[in-house]
Coordinates of all heavy atoms in Angstrom, one line a residue:
M1475 N 3.0 15.0 11.1 CA 2.8 13.8 10.3 C 2.0 12.8 11.1 O 2.1 12.7 12.3 CB 4.2 13.1 10.0 CG 5.1 13.9 9.1 SD 4.8 13.3 7.4 CE 6.2 14.2 6.6
A1476 N 1.2 12.0 10.3 CA 0.4 10.9 11.0 C 0.7 9.6 10.2 O 1.2 9.6 9.2 CB -1.1 11.3 10.8
H1477 N 0.4 8.5 10.9 CA 0.5 7.2 10.3 C -0.8 6.8 9.9 O -1.9 7.0 10.4 CB 1.0 6.3 11.4 CG 2.5 6.4 11.8 ND1 2.8 7.3 12.9 CD2 3.6 5.9 11.3 CE1 4.2 7.2 12.9 NE2 4.6 6.5 12.0
Y1478 N -0.8 6.0 8.7 CA -2.0 5.5 8.1 C -1.7 4.0 7.7 O -0.7 3.7 7.2 CB -2.4 6.3 6.9 CG -2.9 7.7 7.2 CD1 -2.0 8.7 7.2 CD2 -4.2 7.9 7.6 CE1 -2.4 10.0 7.7 CE2 -4.7 9.2 7.9 CZ -3.7 10.2 7.9 OH -4.1 11.5 8.3
A1479 N -2.7 3.2 8.1 CA -2.7 1.7 7.7 C -3.5 1.7 6.5 O -4.7 2.1 6.5 CB -3.3 0.9 8.8
I1480 N -3.0 1.2 5.4 CA -3.7 1.0 4.1 C -3.8 -0.4 3.8 O -2.7 -1.1 3.8 CB -2.9 1.8 2.9 CG1 -2.7 3.3 3.3 CG2 -3.6 1.6 1.7 CD1 -1.7 4.0 2.5
T1481 N -5.0 -0.8 3.5 CA -5.1 -2.2 3.1 C -5.7 -2.3 1.7 O -6.5 -1.5 1.3 CB -6.1 -3.1 4.1 OG1 -7.3 -2.4 4.1 CG2 -5.4 -3.1 5.5
Y1482 N -5.2 -3.4 1.0 CA -5.6 -3.5 -0.3 C -6.3 -5.0 -0.4 O -5.8 -5.8 0.3 CB -4.5 -3.6 -1.4 CG -3.9 -2.4 -1.8 CD1 -2.7 -2.4 -2.6 CD2 -4.3 -1.2 -1.4 CE1 -2.0 -1.4 -3.0 CE2 -3.6 -0.1 -1.8 CZ -2.5 -0.1 -2.6 OH -1.8 1.1 -3.0
V1483 N -7.3 -5.1 -1.2 CA -8.0 -6.5 -1.6 C -7.6 -6.6 -3.1 O -7.9 -5.7 -3.9 CB -9.4 -6.5 -1.4 CG1 -9.9 -7.8 -1.9 CG2 -9.8 -6.3 0.2
Y1484 N -6.9 -7.7 -3.4 CA -6.4 -7.9 -4.7 C -7.4 -8.7 -5.6 O -8.0 -9.5 -5.0 CB -5.0 -8.6 -4.7 CG -3.8 -7.8 -4.3 CD1 -2.7 -8.4 -3.7 CD2 -3.8 -6.4 -4.7 CE1 -1.6 -7.6 -3.4 CE2 -2.6 -5.7 -4.3 CZ -1.5 -6.3 -3.7 OH -0.5 -5.6 -3.4
A1485 N -7.2 -8.5 -6.9 CA -7.8 -9.4 -7.9 C -7.0 -10.7 -8.0 O -6.0 -10.9 -7.2 CB -7.9 -8.7 -9.3
A1486 N -7.3 -11.5 -8.9 CA -6.6 -12.7 -9.1 C -5.1 -12.6 -9.3 O -4.7 -11.6 -9.8 CB -7.2 -13.5 -10.3
P1487 N -4.4 -13.6 -8.9 CA -2.9 -13.5 -9.0 C -2.4 -13.2 -10.4 O -1.4 -12.4 -10.6 CB -2.4 -14.9 -8.6 CG -3.4 -15.4 -7.7 CD -4.7 -14.8 -8.2
E1488 N -3.1 -13.6 -11.5 CA -2.6 -13.3 -12.8 C -2.8 -11.8 -13.1 O -1.9 -11.2 -13.7 CB -3.5 -14.0 -13.9 CG -3.7 -15.4 -13.7 CD -4.8 -15.8 -12.7 OE1 -5.9 -15.3 -12.8 OE2 -4.4 -16.5 -11.7
E1489 N -3.8 -11.1 -12.5 CA -3.9 -9.6 -12.7 C -2.8 -9.0 -11.9 O -2.3 -8.0 -12.4 CB -5.3 -9.2 -12.2 CG -6.4 -9.6 -13.1 CD -6.2 -8.9 -14.5 OE1 -6.1 -7.7 -14.6 OE2 -6.3 -9.7 -15.5
Q1490 N -2.5 -9.5 -10.6 CA -1.5 -8.8 -9.8 C -0.1 -8.9 -10.6 O 0.6 -7.9 -10.5 CB -1.3 -9.5 -8.6 CG -2.5 -9.5 -7.6 CD -2.4 -10.6 -6.5 OE1 -1.3 -10.5 -5.9 NE2 -3.4 -11.3 -6.2
A1491 N 0.2 -10.0 -11.1 CA 1.5 -10.2 -11.8 C 1.8 -9.2 -12.9 O 2.9 -8.8 -13.1 CB 1.5 -11.7 -12.4
K1492 N 0.7 -8.8 -13.6 CA 0.9 -7.8 -14.7 C 1.4 -6.5 -14.2 O 2.2 -5.8 -14.9 CB -0.5 -7.5 -15.4 CG -1.1 -8.6 -16.1 CD -2.5 -8.1 -16.6 CE -3.3 -9.3 -17.1 NZ -4.7 -8.8 -17.6
Y1493 N 1.1 -6.1 -13.0 CA 1.4 -4.8 -12.4 C 2.6 -4.8 -11.3 O 3.0 -3.7 -10.9 CB 0.3 -4.0 -11.9 CG -0.8 -4.0 -13.0 CD1 -1.9 -4.9 -12.9 CD2 -0.7 -3.1 -14.0 CE1 -2.8 -4.9 -13.9 CE2 -1.7 -3.1 -15.0 CZ -2.7 -4.0 -15.0 OH -3.7 -3.9 -16.0
R1494 N 2.9 -6.1 -10.9 CA 3.8 -6.1 -9.7 C 5.1 -5.4 -9.9 O 5.6 -4.6 -9.0 CB 4.0 -7.6 -9.4 CG 4.8 -7.7 -8.0 CD 4.9 -9.1 -7.5 NE 3.6 -9.5 -7.0 CZ 2.7 -10.5 -7.6 NH1 3.2 -11.2 -8.6 NH2 1.6 -10.7 -7.1
P1495 N 5.9 -5.5 -11.0 CA 7.1 -4.8 -11.1 C 7.0 -3.3 -11.0 O 7.7 -2.6 -10.2 CB 7.6 -5.1 -12.5 CG 7.0 -6.5 -12.8 CD 5.6 -6.4 -12.2
A1496 N 6.0 -2.7 -11.6 CA 5.7 -1.2 -11.6 C 5.3 -0.9 -10.2 O 5.6 0.2 -9.7 CB 4.7 -0.7 -12.7
H1497 N 4.4 -1.6 -9.6 CA 4.0 -1.5 -8.2 C 5.1 -1.4 -7.2 O 5.1 -0.4 -6.4 CB 3.0 -2.7 -7.9 CG 2.6 -2.9 -6.5 ND1 1.7 -2.0 -5.8 CD2 3.0 -3.8 -5.7 CE1 1.6 -2.5 -4.6 NE2 2.3 -3.7 -4.4
R1498 N 6.0 -2.4 -7.3 CA 7.1 -2.4 -6.4 C 8.1 -1.2 -6.6 O 8.6 -0.7 -5.7 CB 7.9 -3.7 -6.4 CG 7.0 -4.8 -5.8 CD 7.8 -6.1 -5.6 NE 6.9 -7.0 -4.9 CZ 7.1 -8.3 -4.9 NH1 8.2 -8.8 -5.4 NH2 6.3 -9.1 -4.2
E1499 N 8.3 -0.9 -7.9 CA 9.1 0.3 -8.1 C 8.5 1.6 -7.6 O 9.2 2.4 -7.0 CB 9.3 0.4 -9.7 CG 10.2 1.6 -10.1 CD 10.4 1.7 -11.6 OE1 10.4 0.6 -12.3 OE2 10.5 2.8 -12.1
Y1500 N 7.2 1.7 -7.7 CA 6.5 2.9 -7.2 C 6.6 2.9 -5.7 O 6.8 4.0 -5.1 CB 5.0 2.9 -7.7 CG 4.2 3.9 -7.0 CD1 4.3 5.3 -7.3 CD2 3.2 3.5 -6.0 CE1 3.5 6.2 -6.6 CE2 2.5 4.5 -5.4 CZ 2.5 5.8 -5.6 OH 1.8 6.7 -5.0
L1501 N 6.3 1.8 -5.0 CA 6.3 1.8 -3.6 C 7.7 2.1 -3.1 O 7.9 2.7 -2.0 CB 5.8 0.4 -3.1 CG 4.3 0.2 -3.3 CD1 3.8 -1.1 -2.7 CD2 3.4 1.3 -2.8
S1502 N 8.7 1.5 -3.8 CA 10.1 1.8 -3.4 C 10.4 3.3 -3.4 O 11.1 3.9 -2.6 CB 11.1 1.1 -4.3 OG 11.0 -0.3 -4.1
S1503 N 9.9 4.0 -4.5 CA 10.1 5.4 -4.6 C 9.4 6.2 -3.5 O 9.9 7.2 -3.0 CB 9.6 6.0 -5.9 OG 8.1 6.0 -6.0
Q1504 N 8.3 5.6 -2.9 CA 7.6 6.2 -1.8 C 8.3 6.0 -0.5 O 8.3 6.9 0.3 CB 6.1 5.7 -1.8 CG 5.3 6.0 -3.0 CD 5.2 7.6 -3.3 OE1 4.8 8.4 -2.5 NE2 5.8 7.9 -4.4
I1505 N 9.0 4.9 -0.4 CA 9.8 4.7 0.8 C 11.0 5.7 0.8 O 11.3 6.3 1.7 CB 10.3 3.2 0.8 CG1 9.1 2.3 1.2 CG2 11.5 3.1 1.7 CD1 9.3 0.9 1.0
E1506 N 11.6 5.8 -0.4 CA 12.8 6.8 -0.5 C 12.3 8.2 -0.3 O 13.1 8.9 0.3 CB 13.4 6.6 -2.0 CG 14.1 5.3 -2.2 CD 14.6 5.1 -3.6 OE1 14.5 6.1 -4.4 OE2 14.9 4.0 -4.0
A1507 N 11.1 8.5 -0.6 CA 10.6 9.9 -0.3 C 10.1 10.0 1.1 O 9.8 11.1 1.5 CB 9.3 10.2 -1.3
G1508 N 10.2 9.0 1.9 CA 9.8 9.1 3.3 C 8.3 9.0 3.6 O 7.8 9.3 4.7
K1509 N 7.5 8.7 2.5 CA 6.1 8.6 2.7 C 5.5 7.3 3.1 O 4.4 7.2 3.7 CB 5.3 9.1 1.4 CG 5.6 10.6 1.1 CD 5.0 10.9 -0.2 CE 5.2 12.4 -0.4 NZ 4.5 12.8 -1.6
L1510 N 6.3 6.3 2.7 CA 5.9 4.9 3.0 C 6.9 4.3 3.9 O 8.1 4.4 3.7 CB 5.6 4.1 1.7 CG 5.2 2.7 1.8 CD1 3.7 2.7 2.4 CD2 5.2 2.0 0.4
I1511 N 6.5 3.6 5.0 CA 7.4 3.0 5.9 C 7.6 1.5 5.6 O 8.8 1.1 5.5 CB 6.8 3.1 7.4 CG1 6.8 4.6 7.8 CG2 7.7 2.3 8.3 CD1 6.1 4.8 9.1
I1512 N 6.6 0.8 5.3 CA 6.7 -0.6 5.0 C 5.5 -1.1 4.2 O 4.4 -0.5 4.3 CB 6.9 -1.3 6.3 CG1 7.3 -2.8 6.1 CG2 5.6 -1.4 7.2 CD1 7.9 -3.5 7.3
S1513 N 5.6 -2.1 3.5 CA 4.5 -2.7 2.8 C 4.8 -4.2 2.5 O 5.9 -4.6 2.4 CB 4.2 -2.0 1.5 OG 5.2 -2.3 0.5
G1514 N 3.7 -4.9 2.3 CA 3.9 -6.3 1.9 C 2.5 -7.0 1.8 O 1.5 -6.4 2.2
P1515 N 2.5 -8.1 1.1 CA 1.3 -8.8 0.8 C 0.6 -9.5 2.1 O 1.3 -9.9 3.0 CB 1.7 -9.9 -0.2 CG 3.2 -10.2 0.1 CD 3.8 -8.9 0.6
L1516 N -0.7 -9.6 2.0 CA -1.4 -10.4 3.0 C -1.6 -11.7 2.2 O -2.1 -11.7 1.0 CB -2.7 -9.7 3.3 CG -2.6 -8.3 3.9 CD1 -3.9 -7.6 4.0 CD2 -2.0 -8.5 5.4
L1517 N -1.4 -12.8 2.9 CA -1.4 -14.1 2.2 C -2.5 -15.0 2.7 O -2.8 -15.1 3.9 CB 0.0 -14.8 2.5 CG 1.2 -14.0 2.0 CD1 2.5 -14.7 2.4 CD2 1.2 -13.8 0.5
D1518 N -2.9 -15.8 1.8 CA -3.8 -17.0 2.0 C -2.9 -18.2 1.6 O -2.9 -18.5 0.4 CB -5.1 -17.0 1.3 CG -6.0 -18.1 1.5 OD1 -5.6 -19.0 2.4 OD2 -7.1 -18.2 1.0
G1519 N -2.2 -18.8 2.5 CA -1.2 -19.7 2.1 C -0.1 -19.0 1.4 O 0.6 -18.1 2.1
E1520 N 0.2 -19.3 0.2 CA 1.3 -18.7 -0.6 C 0.7 -17.6 -1.4 O 1.4 -16.9 -2.2 CB 2.1 -19.6 -1.3 CG 3.0 -20.5 -0.4 CD 3.9 -21.4 -1.0 OE1 4.2 -21.2 -2.2 OE2 4.3 -22.4 -0.5
T1521 N -0.7 -17.4 -1.5 CA -1.3 -16.6 -2.5 C -1.6 -15.2 -1.9 O -2.3 -15.1 -0.9 CB -2.6 -17.2 -3.0 OG1 -2.5 -18.5 -3.5 CG2 -3.3 -16.3 -4.0
P1522 N -1.0 -14.2 -2.5 CA -1.4 -12.8 -2.0 C -2.8 -12.5 -2.4 O -3.3 -12.5 -3.5 CB -0.4 -11.9 -2.9 CG 0.6 -12.8 -3.5 CD -0.1 -14.2 -3.6
T1523 N -3.5 -12.2 -1.3 CA -4.9 -11.7 -1.4 C -5.1 -10.3 -1.2 O -6.2 -9.8 -1.5 CB -5.8 -12.6 -0.4 OG1 -5.3 -12.2 0.9 CG2 -5.8 -14.0 -0.8
G1524 N -4.1 -9.6 -0.8 CA -4.2 -8.2 -0.6 C -2.8 -7.7 0.0 O -1.8 -8.4 -0.2
A1525 N -2.8 -6.5 0.6 CA -1.5 -6.0 0.9 C -1.8 -5.0 2.3 O -2.9 -4.5 2.4 CB -0.8 -5.2 -0.1
L1526 N -0.8 -4.9 3.0 CA -0.9 -3.9 4.1 C 0.3 -2.9 3.9 O 1.4 -3.3 3.6 CB -0.7 -4.6 5.5 CG -0.4 -3.7 6.6 CD1 -1.7 -2.8 6.9 CD2 -0.1 -4.5 7.9
L1527 N 0.0 -1.7 3.9 CA 1.0 -0.6 3.7 C 0.9 0.3 4.9 O -0.2 0.7 5.3 CB 0.8 0.2 2.4 CG 0.9 -0.5 1.1 CD1 -0.4 -1.2 0.8 CD2 1.1 0.5 0.0
I1528 N 2.0 0.8 5.4 CA 2.0 1.8 6.5 C 2.7 3.0 6.0 O 3.9 3.0 5.6 CB 2.7 1.3 7.8 CG1 2.1 0.0 8.3 CG2 2.7 2.4 8.9 CD1 0.7 0.1 8.9
A1529 N 1.9 4.1 6.0 CA 2.3 5.4 5.4 C 2.5 6.4 6.5 O 1.8 6.3 7.6 CB 1.4 5.9 4.4
R1530 N 3.4 7.3 6.3 CA 3.6 8.4 7.3 C 3.6 9.7 6.4 O 4.5 10.0 5.8 CB 4.9 8.3 8.1 CG 5.0 9.4 9.2 CD 6.2 9.3 10.0 NE 7.3 9.5 9.2 CZ 8.6 9.2 9.5 NH1 8.8 8.7 10.7 NH2 9.6 9.4 8.7
V1531 N 2.4 10.3 6.4 CA 2.1 11.5 5.7 C 1.3 12.5 6.4 O 0.9 12.2 7.6 CB 1.3 11.0 4.3 CG1 2.2 10.2 3.4 CG2 0.1 10.3 4.7
D1532 N 1.1 13.7 5.8 CA 0.5 14.8 6.5 C -1.1 14.6 6.7 O -1.6 15.2 7.6 CB 0.8 16.1 5.8 CG 2.2 16.5 5.9 OD1 2.8 16.3 7.0 OD2 2.8 17.2 5.0
S1533 N -1.7 13.8 5.8 CA -3.2 13.9 5.8 C -3.7 12.5 5.2 O -3.0 11.8 4.4 CB -3.7 15.0 5.1 OG -3.4 14.9 3.7
I1534 N -4.9 12.3 5.4 CA -5.6 11.1 4.8 C -5.6 11.4 3.3 O -5.6 10.4 2.5 CB -6.9 10.8 5.4 CG1 -7.5 9.5 5.0 CG2 -7.9 11.9 5.1 CD1 -8.6 8.9 5.7
D1535 N -5.8 12.6 2.8 CA -5.8 12.9 1.5 C -4.5 12.5 0.8 O -4.5 11.9 -0.4 CB -6.0 14.4 1.2 CG -7.5 14.7 1.5 OD1 -8.4 13.9 1.5 OD2 -7.7 16.0 1.7
E1536 N -3.4 12.7 1.5 CA -2.1 12.3 0.9 C -1.9 10.8 0.9 O -1.4 10.2 -0.1 CB -1.0 13.0 1.7 CG 0.4 12.9 1.0 CD 1.5 13.8 1.7 OE1 1.2 14.5 2.6 OE2 2.6 13.6 1.3
A1537 N -2.5 10.1 1.9 CA -2.5 8.6 1.9 C -3.3 8.1 0.7 O -2.9 7.2 0.0 CB -3.0 8.2 3.2
E1538 N -4.5 8.7 0.5 CA -5.3 8.3 -0.7 C -4.6 8.6 -1.9 O -4.8 7.8 -2.8 CB -6.7 9.1 -0.7 CG -7.6 8.6 0.5 CD -8.3 7.3 0.2 OE1 -8.1 6.7 -0.9 OE2 -9.1 6.8 1.1
K1539 N -3.9 9.7 -2.1 CA -3.1 9.9 -3.3 C -2.0 8.9 -3.5 O -1.8 8.5 -4.6 CB -2.4 11.3 -3.1 CG -1.7 11.8 -4.3 CD -1.1 13.2 -4.2 CE -0.3 13.6 -5.4 NZ 0.3 14.9 -5.2
L1540 N -1.4 8.4 -2.5 CA -0.4 7.3 -2.6 C -1.1 6.1 -3.2 O -0.5 5.5 -4.1 CB 0.1 7.0 -1.1 CG 1.3 6.1 -1.1 CD1 2.3 6.5 0.0 CD2 0.9 4.6 -1.0
V1541 N -2.3 5.8 -2.8 CA -3.0 4.6 -3.3 C -3.4 5.0 -4.8 O -3.3 4.1 -5.7 CB -4.3 4.3 -2.5 CG1 -5.2 3.3 -3.2 CG2 -4.0 3.9 -1.1
A1542 N -4.0 6.1 -5.0 CA -4.4 6.5 -6.4 C -3.3 6.4 -7.5 O -3.6 6.1 -8.6 CB -5.1 7.9 -6.4
N1543 N -2.1 6.7 -7.1 CA -1.0 6.7 -8.0 C -0.3 5.3 -8.1 O 0.7 5.2 -8.9 CB 0.0 7.7 -7.6 CG -0.6 9.1 -7.9 OD1 -1.4 9.3 -8.8 ND2 -0.2 10.1 -7.0
D1544 N -0.7 4.3 -7.4 CA -0.1 3.0 -7.4 C -0.5 2.3 -8.7 O -1.7 2.1 -9.0 CB -0.6 2.2 -6.2 CG 0.1 0.9 -6.0 OD1 0.7 0.3 -7.0 OD2 0.1 0.3 -4.9
P1545 N 0.5 1.8 -9.5 CA 0.2 1.1 -10.7 C -0.8 -0.1 -10.6 O -1.4 -0.5 -11.4 CB 1.6 0.7 -11.2 CG 2.5 1.7 -10.7 CD 2.0 2.1 -9.3
M1546 N -0.6 -0.8 -9.4 CA -1.4 -1.9 -9.1 C -2.9 -1.5 -9.0 O -3.8 -2.2 -9.5 CB -1.0 -2.6 -7.8 CG -1.7 -3.9 -7.5 SD -1.0 -5.4 -8.3 CE 0.4 -5.7 -7.5
N1547 N -3.1 -0.3 -8.5 CA -4.5 0.2 -8.4 C -5.0 0.8 -9.7 O -6.1 0.5 -10.2 CB -4.6 1.3 -7.3 CG -6.0 1.9 -7.1 OD1 -6.9 1.1 -6.9 ND2 -6.1 3.2 -7.1
I1548 N -4.2 1.6 -10.4 CA -4.5 2.2 -11.7 C -4.8 1.0 -12.7 O -5.8 1.1 -13.5 CB -3.3 3.0 -12.2 CG1 -3.1 4.2 -11.3 CG2 -3.5 3.4 -13.7 CD1 -1.8 4.9 -11.6
G1549 N -4.1 -0.1 -12.6 CA -4.4 -1.2 -13.5 C -5.5 -2.0 -13.3 O -5.9 -2.9 -14.1
G1550 N -6.2 -1.8 -12.0 CA -7.3 -2.6 -11.7 C -7.1 -3.8 -10.9 O -8.1 -4.6 -10.6
A1551 N -5.9 -4.1 -10.4 CA -5.6 -5.3 -9.7 C -5.9 -5.1 -8.2 O -5.9 -6.0 -7.4 CB -4.2 -5.7 -9.8
V1552 N -6.2 -3.8 -7.8 CA -6.7 -3.5 -6.4 C -8.2 -3.5 -6.5 O -8.7 -2.5 -7.2 CB -6.1 -2.3 -5.8 CG1 -6.7 -2.0 -4.5 CG2 -4.5 -2.4 -5.7
L1553 N -8.9 -4.4 -6.0 CA -10.3 -4.4 -6.1 C -11.0 -3.3 -5.1 O -12.1 -2.8 -5.4 CB -10.9 -5.8 -5.8 CG -10.4 -6.8 -6.7 CD1 -11.1 -8.2 -6.3 CD2 -11.0 -6.5 -8.1
S1554 N -10.4 -3.1 -4.0 CA -10.8 -2.2 -3.0 C -9.7 -1.9 -2.0 O -8.7 -2.7 -2.0 CB -12.0 -2.8 -2.2 OG -11.7 -3.8 -1.4
H1555 N -9.8 -0.8 -1.3 CA -8.8 -0.5 -0.3 C -9.4 0.3 0.8 O -10.6 0.9 0.7 CB -7.7 0.4 -1.0 CG -8.1 1.8 -1.3 ND1 -8.7 2.1 -2.4 CD2 -7.9 3.0 -0.5 CE1 -8.9 3.4 -2.4 NE2 -8.5 4.0 -1.3
T1556 N -8.7 0.3 1.9 CA -9.1 1.2 3.1 C -7.9 2.0 3.5 O -6.8 1.6 3.3 CB -9.6 0.3 4.3 OG1 -8.5 -0.5 4.7 CG2 -10.8 -0.6 3.9
V1557 N -8.2 3.1 4.0 CA -7.2 4.0 4.6 C -7.7 4.4 6.0 O -8.7 5.0 6.1 CB -6.8 5.2 3.8 CG1 -5.8 6.1 4.5 CG2 -6.4 4.9 2.4
T1558 N -6.9 4.0 7.0 CA -7.3 4.3 8.4 C -6.1 5.0 9.1 O -5.1 4.4 9.1 CB -7.7 3.0 9.1 OG1 -8.6 2.3 8.3 CG2 -8.2 3.2 10.5
E1559 N -6.4 6.0 9.9 CA -5.3 6.6 10.7 C -5.0 5.6 11.7 O -5.9 4.9 12.3 CB -5.8 8.0 11.3 CG -4.6 8.6 11.9 CD -4.9 10.1 12.3 OE1 -6.0 10.6 12.0 OE2 -4.0 10.7 12.8
W1560 N -3.7 5.5 12.0 CA -3.2 4.5 13.0 C -2.2 5.2 13.9 O -1.5 6.1 13.6 CB -2.4 3.5 12.1 CG -1.8 2.4 13.0 CD1 -2.4 1.6 13.8 CD2 -0.4 2.0 12.9 NE1 -1.5 0.7 14.3 CE2 -0.2 0.9 13.8 CE3 0.7 2.5 12.2 CZ2 1.0 0.2 14.0 CZ3 1.9 1.8 12.4 CH2 2.1 0.7 13.3
N1561 N -2.5 4.9 15.2 CA -1.7 5.4 16.3 C -0.7 4.4 16.9 O -1.1 3.6 17.7 CB -2.6 5.9 17.4 CG -1.8 6.6 18.5 OD1 -0.7 7.1 18.4 ND2 -2.4 6.7 19.7
P1562 N 0.5 4.2 16.4 CA 1.4 3.2 17.0 C 1.7 3.6 18.4 O 2.1 4.7 18.7 CB 2.6 3.3 16.1 CG 2.5 4.6 15.4 CD 1.2 5.0 15.3
V1563 N 1.5 2.6 19.4 CA 1.7 2.9 20.7 C 2.9 2.1 21.3 O 3.8 2.7 22.0 CB 0.5 2.6 21.6 CG1 0.7 2.7 23.1 CG2 -0.7 3.5 21.1
L1564 N 3.0 0.9 20.9 CA 4.1 0.0 21.4 C 4.9 -0.5 20.2 O 4.4 -0.8 19.2 CB 3.6 -1.2 22.2 CG 2.8 -0.8 23.5 CD1 2.1 -2.0 24.0 CD2 3.7 -0.1 24.5
G1565 N 6.2 -0.7 20.5 CA 7.1 -1.2 19.5 C 7.7 -0.1 18.5 O 7.5 1.1 18.8
T1566 N 8.4 -0.6 17.6 CA 9.1 0.3 16.7 C 8.8 -0.1 15.3 O 8.6 -1.3 14.9 CB 10.7 0.3 16.9 OG1 11.1 -1.0 16.7 CG2 10.9 0.9 18.3
I1567 N 8.9 0.9 14.4 CA 8.7 0.6 12.9 C 9.8 1.3 12.2 O 10.3 2.4 12.7 CB 7.3 1.0 12.4 CG1 6.9 2.3 12.8 CG2 6.4 0.0 12.8 CD1 5.6 2.9 12.3

């Protein structure tokens, strides 16, 4: 298993709001499945402008699949994303 840092850049808050309940339900299911460790919005003041997700999966393809199946992405509220392998060295998650 490898860790991947996934970042999202979001569309306007109104677009995000349309998909947030399904997005959170989906991400919760990925946490329960052991594929997602943590996620949360990146903020500009109180406005979510993106998100950071830390996944623990077998491959970058599996991390990309996690993004592809996210209702926020499917609905178009994710304008872009990155998936980068991450090597946690210090601290705990």
Side-chain angles (χ1 to χ4, degrees):
M1475 293 268 187
H1477 289 89
Y1478 293 90
I1480 301 166
T1481 58
Y1482 287 175
V1483 174
Y1484 283 152
E1488 310 81 57
E1489 287 299 307
Q1490 297 169 45
K1492 293 178 192 176
Y1493 306 103
R1494 187 169 290 115
H1497 164 73
R1498 289 191 174 165
E1499 184 178 325
Y1500 171 71
L1501 294 182
S1502 292
S1503 75
Q1504 296 307 296
I1505 288 170
E1506 290 172 11
K1509 295 180 179 185
L1510 186 64
I1511 296 171
I1512 195 164
S1513 73
L1516 299 170
L1517 303 171
D1518 182 4
E1520 293 184 19
T1521 304
T1523 57
L1526 172 65
L1527 298 81
I1528 302 295
R1530 188 175 64 194
V1531 293
D1532 289 328
S1533 67
I1534 194 165
D1535 290 337
E1536 196 171 349
E1538 287 284 359
K1539 183 178 176 184
L1540 191 146
V1541 173
N1543 293 323
D1544 186 337
M1546 190 79 81
N1547 185 48
I1548 293 168
V1552 175
L1553 298 177
S1554 65
H1555 74 277
T1556 63
V1557 177
T1558 307
E1559 189 167 0
W1560 179 54
N1561 181 26
V1563 175
L1564 298 173
T1566 59
I1567 48 174

